[in-house]
């Protein structure tokens, strides 16, 4: 029953910034572990960053220091602030949530394109 909808993707030049959002349905969002994944053209989907239900973040080394994950439990929203973007950050970004440690939900994805 949980639905995730990403937004905020677009095109930006190298060094620019974008802020992605993921809106979640349901009334138990505060208990979900959330994460962002991305899939670059011709490559497999990879984990980018995650945040626990209590707000503890972790990051892939490739984005550490440039990306920041956060959540607003009162609004059922997950965010990804992306700074100092590089062409290799290009791809479709997906929001993922885990409910009760059992159910996994994926958004439809939002395109991020970084030009050199």
């Amino acid at each position: 029953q949980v639905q995730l909808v990403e937004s905020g993707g677009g095109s930006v030049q190298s060094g620019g910034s974008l802020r992605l959002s993921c809106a979640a349905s349901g009334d138990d969002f505060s208990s979900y572990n959330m994460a962002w994944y991305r899939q670059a053209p011709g490559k497999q989907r990879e984990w980018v960053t995650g945040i626990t239900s209590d707000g503890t973040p972790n990051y892939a080394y490739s984005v550490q220091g440039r990306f920041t994950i956060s959540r607003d439990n009162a609004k059922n929203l997950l965010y990804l602030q992306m700074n100092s973007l590089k062409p290799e950050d290009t791809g479709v970004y997906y929001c993922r949530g885990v409910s009760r440690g059992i159910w996994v939900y994926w958004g439809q994805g939002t395109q991020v394109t970084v030009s050199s």
Side-chain angles (χ1 to χ4, degrees):
Q1 287 298 122
V2 176
Q3 295 186 134
L4 304 175
V5 181
E6 302 96 334
S7 62
S11 298
V12 65
Q13 291 186 322
S14 181
S17 298
L18 284 173
R19 190 193 195 200
L20 307 184
S21 297
C22 173
S25 65
D27 56 3
D28 292 325
F29 176 75
S30 62
S31 69
Y32 303 165
N33 287 328
M34 303 297 297
W36 290 97
Y37 287 71
R38 69 186 180 190
Q39 187 166 20
K43 297 184 178 180
Q44 294 186 328
R45 189 175 300 184
E46 66 174 346
W47 174 82
V48 177
T49 178
I51 187 168
T52 62
S53 60
D54 68 353
T56 302
N58 47 83
Y59 302 92
Y61 184 81
S62 61
V63 305
Q64 198 162 42
R66 299 188 298 118
F67 290 12
T68 302
I69 188 172
S70 62
R71 64 193 299 162
D72 186 338
N73 289 335
K75 298 181 178 179
N76 278 25
L77 289 173
L78 177 74
Y79 301 105
L80 180 62
Q81 179 66 47
M82 304 184 293
N83 298 326
S84 301
L85 283 163
K86 306 174 181 179
E88 50 262 45
D89 294 318
T90 293
V92 179
Y93 283 69
Y94 298 91
C95 175
R96 189 186 79 164
V98 179
S99 174
R100 300 180 183 275
I102 300 174
W103 305 100
V104 180
Y105 307 94
W106 289 92
Q108 294 298 308
T110 185
Q111 177 70 45
V112 171
T113 302
V114 184
S115 60
S116 61

